[in-house]
Amino acid sequence: MAVTLIDGKAVANKIKVELHNRITLLKQRGIVPGLAVILVGEDPASQVYVNMKQKTCDELGIHSETTRLPADISQAELLRQIDRFNSAKDIHGILVQLPLPKHIDTETVIARISVDKDVDGFNPYNVGKLMVGKPRYVPCTPAGILELLHHYGFYPDGKHVVIVGRSNIVGKPLANLLLQKTKGCNATVTICHTGTTDLGYFTSQAEILVVAAGRPGAVTAEMVKEGVVVIDVGVNRVADSSTTKGYRLVGDVDFNSVSQKAKAITPVPGGVGPMTIVMLMKNTVIAAETLN
Ligand code: GUN
């Protein structure tokens, strides 16, 4: 049977229409949702993400303020910037783009973001809320992955979901989300990571396989079973002199071989990426609806 390509762009566009309606209702009440994005340094991938976030805010009519700070900014100054947005009435969501430069303590910075405006869901309070099964702001990539699975009718309930990667941004929050005893979640979850011996032993048992390893070719066809649903979270630049930019984007999964065995798979780009951005917009709308 032919593989289904999971079209994140199309699903994201559908959600944008719903959000646009909610934003219109907010505007009728005199409320314009506001998102503050803070970018520290010049990391090229982070710049691309931040630009895409701003563009999507503009498209939907969300007020956005992007603050670009030099890589050598002090932690104290960064915290001051967060405080400014914590108390700004026209800002409902705050996001600090990660990774941060090494001299800055990421945990301290994230903990400073008001729990009410933490649209990334990274503040330890919101992490804890998700972990005890009472999510408030769900981190955007895990939320986007769940939306994609539901949209295509791949319900995780009772399924074995194997996640490759234990990051605080994807692997751990996604595992907590899928573990919830609610309809549309309720999965059996395995998390694999760099300390896992024989990764293929685990990935080949997955009915749904989510790969957020940060490494191209981390999963190949021999490591998956026939009929698996594959969600590739990786975004890697690989040199390609045939393109004008000199590189192309690939995921963590060897798409050509794995798509021969999979029932469905996300492309890179155009799979998870657009969903992450739209879920950030959704969390910002939720913040504006609840903070006013
Ligand atoms: N860096 C990579 N993904 C993310 C994300 O979802 N949020 C933030 N703030 N930084 C990131």
Side-chain angles (χ1 to χ4, degrees):
M1 214 174 65
V3 66
T4 297
L5 263 191
I6 298 177
D7 187 345
K9 216 167 163 183
V11 181
N13 282 338
K14 182 179 150 275
I15 296 171
K16 277 187 201 171
V17 173
E18 292 163 18
L19 289 178
H20 192 259
N21 292 337
R22 283 164 71 173
I23 292 165
T24 303
L25 287 176
L26 279 166
K27 288 184 177 171
Q28 286 166 1
R29 290 165 49 200
I31 300 160
V32 179
L35 174 68
V37 175
I38 301 176
L39 172 62
V40 182
E42 315 259 305
D43 178 63
S46 291
Q47 290 188 9
V48 172
Y49 293 135
V50 166
N51 289 341
M52 286 196 302
K53 286 166 190 172
Q54 184 150 18
K55 188 172 148 271
T56 313
C57 281
D58 293 347
E59 213 180 297
L60 288 177
I62 293 176
H63 164 67
S64 76
E65 283 185 36
T66 303
T67 305
R68 292 182 164 78
L69 302 169
D72 62 354
I73 192 161
S74 70
Q75 181 165 310
E77 180 51 29
L78 176 55
L79 294 176
R80 264 193 294 281
Q81 295 283 341
I82 294 171
D83 288 342
R84 186 163 69 85
F85 291 124
N86 278 341
S87 51
K89 287 272 174 290
D90 61 341
I91 293 297
H92 306 93
I94 303 170
L95 175 145
V96 177
Q97 186 65 33
L98 303 179
L100 289 168
K102 291 213 168 17
H103 69 279
I104 291 175
D105 183 56
T106 302
E107 273 175 49
T108 304
V109 169
I110 288 172
R112 190 71 158 242
I113 299 170
S114 156
V115 295
D116 297 321
K117 298 189 177 183
D118 173 35
V119 285
D120 254 333
F122 292 166
N123 181 298
Y125 177 82
N126 287 321
V127 173
K129 291 287 283 180
L130 174 60
M131 194 160 196
V132 297
K134 299 264 182 293
R136 179 164 182 204
Y137 293 117
V138 177
C140 306
T141 301
I145 291 170
L146 196 60
E147 287 274 349
L148 270 187
L149 290 171
H150 289 173
H151 182 86
Y152 279 85
F154 301 129
Y155 293 97
D157 310 62
K159 295 282 192 307
H160 185 193
V161 181
V162 177
I163 301 169
V164 184
R166 59 176 151 190
S167 73
N168 292 333
I169 296 178
V170 184
K172 280 190 258 180
L174 178 62
N176 276 322
L177 193 59
L178 292 168
L179 285 173
Q180 290 185 106
K181 200 173 175 178
T182 53
K183 206 161 173 289
C185 294
N186 218 18
T188 302
V189 181
T190 299
I191 308 183
C192 302
H193 45 76
T194 47
T196 300
T197 45
D198 197 358
L199 179 62
Y201 170 81
F202 295 98
T203 55
S204 61
Q205 294 174 48
E207 295 171 279
I208 299 172
L209 177 63
V210 182
V211 189
R215 177 167 65 87
V219 170
T220 53
E222 316 77 72
M223 296 164 70
V224 302
K225 75 172 166 191
E226 203 75 44
V228 63
V229 172
V230 180
I231 305 290
D232 189 348
V233 185
V235 183
N236 306 288
R237 289 183 179 190
V238 296
D240 185 345
S241 56
S242 73
T243 67
T244 44
K245 287 179 176 156
Y247 67 85
R248 70 193 151 87
L249 295 180
V250 299
D252 291 347
V253 174
D254 179 33
F255 183 89
N256 289 339
S257 70
V258 172
S259 58
Q260 309 282 317
K261 281 174 96 176
K263 173 157 59 184
I265 187 166
T266 57
V268 177
V272 174
M275 292 301 292
T276 297
I277 306 265
V278 88
M279 296 321 282
L280 173 68
M281 302 298 129
K282 184 174 178 180
N283 281 348
T284 304
V285 170
I286 292 170
E289 286 168 345
T290 51
L291 280 178
N292 280 282

